[in-house]
Amino acid sequence: MEILFSITLISIPVGRRNTAAITVHIRSIFITLDAGMTKEVISRRVFFSRTETSGCCKYDTSCFWANHFNQPAGHGEKSLMKSGSNLEAVLKSGHFAITGELGPPRGTDVQVVKKKAAFLKGMVDAVNITDNQTAVVRMSSWATSILVVQEGLEPNFQMVCRDRNRLAMQADILGAYAHGIKNMLCLSGDHQSFGDHPNTKGVFDIDSIQLISMVKTMRDEGRFLGGDEIDGPPKMFIGAAANPFGEPFEWRVHRLAKKVAAGADFIQTQCIYNMDRFRQWIKMAEDMGLTDKVYIMAGVTPFKSLPMAKYMKNKVPGMDVPDHLIKRLKGVEKKKRAAEGIKIACEQIQEFKEMKGVAGVHLMAIEWEHKVPQIVEQAGLLPRPNIKSDAGGDTSEESEEEED
Amino acid sequence: MIIAERKPLEEILGLIDGFDRILAIGCGGCTSICLAGGQREVMELSGEIRSKLAESGKKKDIFEYTIERQCNANFFVEMDHMVKDYDAVLSMACGAGVQFVADRYPYVPILPALNTTFVGVDKDVGWYEESCRTCGDCVLGETGGICPVTRCAKSLFNGPCGGTRSDGTCEVDPNIPCAWYEIFKRLKGQNRLELITKVRPAREWRNQTRRTVVQEPYRDRYEKVK
Ligand code: SF4
Ligand code: SF4
């Protein structure tokens, strides 16, 4: 600890701070030292530990530490975030988060993206941009993500391992981050045989867990997978998927643990219909301490119709749709089934809100984006928290949350 | 063993089109064992070619000959004197054998009669299954003797993916067991699940450029040759 104090004290420019601030600095330094830490690493840790406990940067727009580490002045609580994305801020503040989904067009029509984005704006904290979903060619996910940024929505850039090798993946991550994309979801990807080019060569150079670990290495160590240093590392909020219903059931939570160990910050699950089984899974995750380490967002896809529900039940591998839901849909008039589907989804969301270990929902209203405002409203998720990431932003809401 | 299948007759006819005198050579190695390119299959193929050509009143001079193996130059000696008398050689070996024959007789066109398919095992007589993609860095010791590179449709090293069906089959094909479901079951049975709880890092692919292997006892010998 002595060493730490001396480093800190030497580097504080007293002229720019009042004594109270310095006291805060000294009082709040509390970090763990590992053998072999460089001075740079130690001071970085000191910086983060300090902001984490005192949050004094909020009061000082010419923060020394911000300058020292080349961060924007007045970064406030954002500085202790991994990426500074809105989704991260919402989750970190303890709000029940919601993400949506937007499938890129099968062509170059930007209007399609704009139209879908308009339905989602203000309704979700971030929107997943799918990456050649079901192995069908679409506008690339990073390009669509940029369009979405321009529309004032925060994207969650999806990346599958099927279509790119590690060179292309890292290049796209750098490019995406440079364009303001701060969340990404790391996936294996549906097999190419399901898509419109069934005999393409699936790449699978690395798998989804290795992708998570690669993005983390890029962010936290500032290194490429090959070991070279990155000039300006991409600070991504790292997401991963989980299927609580795939076989072998008892192994699924261990696979979740592997994703967490690899560096996942948040998880979006497969669409959930079987609530009992999901509850069982989340309990296992909790027992393993995973819900403290990662934000789990429960996947919700409202049924649009009876045929869709049946398709989900019978045709989609790894999907678990209980019979009572099919019966319930059958029980209402045909033209009221969509409304019933939405009602079921909203009931689920209510349950998730109260379920321990669930940090939010991931609403996959596939080609039903125009229904999202209604669903979000009906589920009581409006208005969405407005946690500003810009300098001097209103952070009072956050600090309240941070107290508990 | 290397498993191969014969190309469709039409394709073979296309390959030999324009050549009148053809030497069809079988291989007594893998392709003979998997019933694709041994002595019997050479006879069958040339018979089929002849009768097909006869339908349109054509004729070619085809001579069948089978050697022990086409992947070892010592076995070529016996046919060295024959090759120059033919316009083309139709090889019924795997792709490796075909290339080796082509290197030996660069002055004559060498044509493949087979599609080399995979490295696999006999499921039964005439029924074969792929089991190894020769990745060069075998992980079977940690995956319960089940190859994730070959048997998982996505070659995952930290499987299973989210698509495993409720009956434990692969999302890609309900008739194929999910490799990672099988790996889980086997390791569980052996009480060795800890082998797959740690994250397996991205691998260094070793089958990206042409490889050579020199076994330990021969290292000195070939070092001198180089
Ligand atoms: S891991 Fe699979 S592909 Fe690689 S050598 Fe072993 S069996 Fe062959
Ligand atoms: S279902 Fe199993 S075998 Fe098929 S791709 Fe997924 S992990 Fe691989």
Side-chain angles (χ1 to χ4, degrees):
Chain A
M1 285 315 285
E2 280 80 1
I3 316 166
L4 282 183
F5 282 135
S6 64
I7 292 169
T8 324
L9 285 171
I10 290 164
S11 45
I12 289 176
V14 180
R16 271 163 60 189
R17 286 196 164 270
N18 59 28
T19 25
I22 296 176
T23 322
V24 172
H25 274 294
I26 297 169
R27 240 206 347 242
S28 60
I29 292 163
F30 187 76
I31 71 159
T32 329
L33 271 180
D34 292 330
M37 271 186 177
T38 60
K39 192 179 160 194
E40 165 73 1
V41 172
I42 294 173
S43 44
R44 207 171 264 273
R45 293 261 171 104
V46 171
F47 167 62
F48 283 117
S49 80
R50 188 200 51 73
T51 45
E52 212 140 5
T53 46
S54 71
C56 83
C57 281
K58 274 193 288 192
Y59 315 118
D60 191 347
T61 45
S62 61
C63 172
F64 159 74
W65 296 98
N67 298 336
H68 186 68
F69 293 108
N70 216 2
Q71 297 200 6
H75 48 78
E77 300 294 347
K78 297 293 164 205
S79 61
L80 48 111
M81 300 215 304
K82 292 168 172 170
S83 67
S85 77
N86 181 57
L87 179 62
E88 181 180 8
V90 170
L91 286 166
K92 205 169 164 56
S93 69
H95 280 97
F96 191 76
I98 174 164
T99 48
E101 191 161 289
L102 188 156
R106 295 210 68 196
T108 56
D109 190 353
V110 172
Q111 293 311 319
V112 177
V113 180
K114 289 191 173 172
K115 215 172 135 197
K116 288 181 177 177
F119 291 122
L120 297 163
K121 198 174 170 185
M123 300 294 145
V124 294
D125 303 315
V127 55
N128 284 37
I129 309 298
T130 54
D131 183 16
N132 284 343
Q133 198 177 14
T134 61
V136 167
V137 182
R138 292 170 178 276
M139 186 185 286
S140 60
S141 54
W142 62 261
T144 313
S145 293
I146 294 170
L147 293 174
V148 162
V149 171
Q150 288 162 0
E151 292 306 297
L153 252 175
E154 182 171 283
N156 180 18
F157 163 45
Q158 295 195 183
M159 182 180 272
V160 298
C161 298
R162 179 195 59 230
D163 304 338
R164 304 169 180 82
N165 67 11
R166 58 191 83 176
L167 294 177
M169 285 175 151
Q170 292 177 101
D172 282 356
I173 293 166
L174 295 182
Y177 186 73
H179 281 283
I181 296 162
K182 293 177 183 164
N183 306 301
M184 66 178 286
L185 187 73
C186 306
L187 304 165
S188 306
D190 296 318
H191 194 265
Q192 59 273 17
S193 59
F194 291 111
D196 60 348
H197 295 73
N199 291 320
T200 183
K201 187 175 191 301
V203 180
F204 301 111
D205 177 21
I206 58 175
D207 66 23
S208 60
I209 292 183
Q210 293 161 345
L211 172 59
I212 295 166
S213 143
M214 182 170 85
V215 184
K216 187 178 160 67
T217 306
M218 291 173 82
R219 180 188 71 195
D220 295 349
E221 291 172 33
R223 297 201 173 274
F224 292 113
L225 185 59
D228 288 350
E229 211 166 301
I230 303 173
D231 184 8
K235 303 284 183 191
M236 289 287 183
F237 191 44
I238 307 170
N243 183 0
F245 309 105
E247 288 300 331
F249 180 63
E250 60 166 296
W251 185 250
R252 289 293 159 179
V253 75
H254 292 279
R255 187 140 193 275
L256 171 69
K258 280 177 92 165
K259 293 196 172 183
V260 174
D265 300 310
F266 69 101
I267 298 287
Q268 292 173 319
T269 78
Q270 168 77 285
C271 323
I272 296 157
Y273 297 107
N274 187 338
M275 297 298 274
D276 294 336
R277 206 154 193 215
F278 179 72
R279 236 185 239 105
Q280 215 179 321
W281 179 80
I282 203 95
K283 176 83 180 45
M284 286 159 82
E286 217 186 316
D287 291 346
M288 283 175 72
L290 297 172
T291 50
D292 295 334
K293 293 185 186 149
V294 72
Y295 300 107
I296 296 178
M297 305 184 70
V300 175
T301 293
F303 295 129
K304 288 186 199 174
S305 63
L306 189 59
M308 175 203 171
K310 285 185 174 161
Y311 179 83
M312 297 289 250
K313 183 176 173 66
N314 303 321
K315 293 275 154 47
V316 183
M319 195 75 73
D320 182 349
V321 183
D323 290 328
H324 70 86
L325 288 180
I326 305 275
K327 257 199 216 127
R328 184 167 156 187
L329 277 181
K330 261 190 197 154
V332 299
E333 262 177 80
K334 195 173 172 193
K335 60 177 202 293
K336 288 193 180 148
R337 283 190 186 136
E340 192 65 18
I342 291 178
K343 208 167 150 222
I344 295 172
C346 291
E347 288 168 15
Q348 283 186 297
I349 295 173
Q350 280 314 321
E351 276 190 65
F352 291 135
K353 270 189 185 168
E354 279 144 36
M355 208 180 281
K356 216 172 144 217
V358 179
V361 285
H362 176 45
L363 181 63
M364 292 164 274
I366 305 150
E367 296 305 320
W368 228 25
E369 289 83 0
H370 63 282
K371 291 280 185 188
V372 169
Q374 185 197 333
I375 300 167
V376 177
E377 163 98 75
Q378 208 172 313
L381 293 170
L382 290 181
R384 298 311 307 147
N386 183 15
I387 302 171
K388 293 202 181 86
S389 55
D390 50 346
D394 175 19
T395 48
S396 56
E397 188 176 46
E398 269 174 287
S399 50
E400 271 164 35
E401 303 274 348
E402 292 285 310
E403 305 291 308
D404 4 306
Chain B
M1 170 180 56
I2 292 170
I3 310 297
E5 288 171 288
R6 206 186 81 188
K7 284 180 179 290
L9 186 62
E10 285 305 319
E11 189 183 340
I12 296 174
L13 288 171
L15 284 170
I16 60 173
D17 192 33
F19 302 113
D20 291 332
R21 287 177 57 75
I22 291 158
L23 176 63
I25 46 172
C27 178
C30 302
T31 59
S32 153
I33 301 169
C34 71
L35 312 178
Q39 194 165 27
R40 200 181 71 193
E41 290 77 28
V42 178
M43 296 301 195
E44 277 169 9
L45 174 61
S46 48
E48 279 179 50
I49 295 174
R50 280 189 198 101
S51 51
K52 186 77 196 172
L53 290 173
E55 282 173 22
S56 47
K58 286 190 219 143
K59 200 169 169 283
K60 279 187 202 292
D61 200 355
I62 305 173
F63 184 70
E64 307 93 359
Y65 194 78
T66 298
I67 63 169
E68 192 70 28
R69 280 204 286 132
Q70 292 183 30
C71 54
N72 183 314
N74 291 332
F75 299 116
F76 292 155
V77 178
E78 57 186 288
M79 60 175 196
D80 278 348
H81 67 284
M82 299 168 14
V83 175
K84 60 179 184 322
D85 298 333
Y86 293 90
D87 300 333
V89 174
L90 188 60
S91 164
M92 295 197 80
C94 71
V98 176
Q99 293 181 63
F100 216 30
V101 175
D103 288 345
R104 179 90 170 187
Y105 312 109
Y107 49 85
V108 60
I110 310 292
L111 313 167
L114 306 184
N115 288 326
T116 307
T117 320
F118 53 73
V119 174
V121 295
D122 302 18
K123 281 198 75 158
D124 207 329
V125 184
W127 182 11
Y128 312 97
E129 194 170 55
E130 184 175 19
S131 20
C132 173
R133 296 253 167 102
T134 67
C135 76
D137 185 13
C138 196
V139 297
L140 291 174
E142 283 126 84
T143 56
I146 293 164
C147 173
V149 184
T150 313
R151 289 165 70 171
C152 167
K154 299 175 190 169
S155 294
L156 302 181
F157 283 91
N158 295 284
C161 75
T164 321
R165 293 166 197 265
S166 53
D167 60 354
T169 55
C170 171
E171 67 166 30
V172 174
D173 184 340
N175 300 310
I176 300 174
C178 162
W180 277 96
Y181 185 83
E182 299 293 307
I183 292 170
F184 167 80
K185 264 199 315 195
R186 185 158 307 160
L187 290 177
K188 191 177 179 200
Q190 295 176 357
N191 225 342
R192 298 206 304 157
L193 278 175
E194 76 281 355
L195 285 174
I196 52 169
T197 49
K198 51 182 189 299
V199 174
R200 177 170 283 281
R203 77 191 332 235
E204 309 296 327
W205 292 104
R206 295 188 189 162
N207 52 0
Q208 306 297 295
T209 52
R210 189 186 191 187
R211 295 164 288 176
T212 52
V213 171
V214 177
Q215 304 296 15
E216 229 302 295
Y218 295 89
R219 299 254 157 97
D220 280 351
R221 181 161 150 190
Y222 298 119
E223 200 50 50
K224 274 171 218 142
V225 175
K226 278 186 215 157

